[in-house]
Amino acid sequence: MGVKETESEVTLSFKESEVRVLKFGATVLSWKVKGQEQLWLSDKAILDGSKAVRGGIPLVFPVFGKATEGPCAKLPQHGFARNHSWELLGQVQESPLKVQFALSPDQLSQEARDQWPSDFTLIYTLTLDSDSLTTEMSVENPGQSAFGFNVLFHTYFRIPSVDSVKVNGLGKVPVHDKVSVSKYQADGEPVTISSEVDRVYSEIADSNKIEILNGDKVDVDIERTNLPDVVVWNPWIEKANGLGDFYPKDGYKTMICVETGSVSSPVNLEPGSSWVGRQVLKAHL
Ligand code: TA6
């Protein structure tokens, strides 16, 4: 049990669970509970730091998607947090096991600094318990001017079959559907997948527990704090074929992204203040 660090990765072990984190992007690559992998990672995920990881839990900050105007307009899709190396601050608790990573401007490329010059500190806390993984992001503004940001945990869950997956608990909330390029009110029914899905469900109360089911069995549930939006994404056939690092090409049949965050509008952070968002992923074996 405990924390093992190499040059590029950090491995957490607690009771019968294990998490593998790539320092590049502080990307969780694997979360195993009693030896069972809960996350999907592409067989062609690039882990050498040259590109954001396809799978696991990439981190989205300071922008979700691609901004066409405003202070994030020069940033790449999903911002810079997932494509820079984070510093391991260390273990902060033994039971359950808790470690922290940090990212600040001095770790960014000059290009990223030029694209988004705000001063910030991100503290990413991972807590591994016997059947749960908590990911918490703290955003601090040590600078002299306010800035706006999005944050999102872009979690790729491994599932038995896309034919039997259901996402429950999203509620009757506003939806921005990027496939049909439309906005509508969700009907509150469980979401199923039979084609490409790319939707932002917004204003979901923290009290709504999100459940990922295989048929009628809950495989994973997600509890959120201060993360009002949930993105559901499955690339399906055409988009999976179009992503060079998405492999196997039929991998869309055994994955679903259920991504918690604050993305529908920028969170404004005044100088000297901070913001925290958290998700607890619980595996039901
Ligand atoms: O979170 C869903 C999404 O925004 C999709 O639109 C798709 O682009 C996905 O993220 C993957 O984005 P990436 O930049 O990692 O290829």
Side-chain angles (χ1 to χ4, degrees), residues 15-51:
K15 294 189 176 171
E16 296 178 281
S17 291
E18 182 182 276
V19 159
R20 211 181 126 211
V21 188
L22 189 70
K23 289 178 183 175
F24 183 73
T27 313
V28 172
L29 301 175
S30 166
W31 168 38
K32 285 183 180 175
V33 179
K34 294 190 175 71
Q36 290 185 42
E37 180 61 68
Q38 304 300 311
L39 303 178
W40 186 89
L41 182 67
S42 169
D43 293 347
K44 288 191 176 178
I46 296 168
L47 306 180
D48 64 3
S50 61
K51 184 180 186 302

Side-chain angles (χ1 to χ4, degrees), residues 40-76:
W40 186 89
L41 182 67
S42 169
D43 293 347
K44 288 191 176 178
I46 296 168
L47 306 180
D48 64 3
S50 61
K51 184 180 186 302
V53 174
R54 180 68 61 200
I57 310 178
L59 300 175
V60 172
F61 177 90
V63 65
F64 172 70
K66 185 71 185 81
T68 53
E69 57 185 10
C72 292
K74 294 178 184 169
L75 286 169

Side-chain angles (χ1 to χ4, degrees), residues 9 38-39 46-47 94 106 112 123-124 127 138 145 150 152 189 210 248 265 267 271-272 278 282:
E9 291 192 18
Q38 304 300 311
L39 303 178
I46 296 168
L47 306 180
E94 193 171 318
D106 55 7
I123 303 290
Y124 182 40
T127 305
S138 162
S145 355
N150 298 149
L152 175 124
E189 292 302 311
I210 309 299
S265 55
V267 177
R278 172 186 316 113
K282 183 174 181 178

Side-chain angles (χ1 to χ4, degrees), residues 7 14 21 38 59 66 73 78 83 90 101 122 124 132 147 159 174-175 183 200 209 219 224 233 242 256 261 270 281:
E7 189 180 339
F14 181 78
V21 188
Q38 304 300 311
L59 300 175
K66 185 71 185 81
H78 294 337
N83 51 30
F101 296 83
L122 298 183
Y124 182 40
S132 69
F147 62 78
I159 57 174
V175 179
K183 295 188 176 183
V200 182
K209 185 188 285 188
D219 278 350
R224 295 154 300 116
W233 179 59
I256 188 169
E270 292 297 326
L281 309 178

Side-chain angles (χ1 to χ4, degrees), residues 80-100:
F80 51 67
R82 66 178 183 166
N83 51 30
H84 281 81
S85 285
W86 290 55
E87 177 192 358
L88 171 67
L89 297 181
Q91 178 177 320
V92 293
Q93 184 179 284
E94 193 171 318
S95 179
L97 184 57
K98 188 180 291 208
V99 297
Q100 289 188 322

Side-chain angles (χ1 to χ4, degrees), residues 51-54 58 60 64-65 77-78 82 152 154 156 178 196-199 231-233 239 243 245 257 259:
K51 184 180 186 302
V53 174
R54 180 68 61 200
V60 172
F64 172 70
Q77 167 148 297
H78 294 337
R82 66 178 183 166
L152 175 124
H154 199 295
Y156 289 71
K178 296 201 277 185
E196 180 187 354
V197 170
D198 192 352
R199 303 175 194 152
V231 177
V232 179
W233 179 59
K239 285 287 172 56
L243 294 168
D245 58 354
C257 281
E259 312 157 17

Side-chain angles (χ1 to χ4, degrees), residues 97-116:
L97 184 57
K98 188 180 291 208
V99 297
Q100 289 188 322
F101 296 83
L103 186 73
S104 57
D106 55 7
Q107 293 154 266
L108 298 186
S109 64
Q110 189 55 49
E111 180 186 27
R113 291 298 296 132
D114 294 343
Q115 290 167 343
W116 199 75

Side-chain angles (χ1 to χ4, degrees), residues 130-201:
S130 50
D131 59 357
S132 69
L133 172 62
T134 300
T135 67
E136 175 183 282
M137 187 66 73
S138 162
V139 184
E140 299 165 5
N141 181 353
Q144 303 302 313
S145 355
F147 62 78
F149 68 90
N150 298 149
V151 72
L152 175 124
F153 299 110
H154 199 295
T155 313
Y156 289 71
F157 290 96
R158 173 184 289 211
I159 57 174
S161 166
V162 74
D163 298 330
S164 53
V165 71
K166 289 188 272 191
V167 181
N168 205 15
L170 296 165
K172 296 182 180 179
V173 297
V175 179
H176 175 197
D177 189 320
K178 296 201 277 185
V179 175
S180 61
V181 192
S182 64
K183 295 188 176 183
Y184 50 83
Q185 200 73 4
D187 60 12
E189 292 302 311
V191 172
T192 56
I193 308 281
S194 55
S195 60
E196 180 187 354
V197 170
D198 192 352
R199 303 175 194 152
V200 182
Y201 291 78

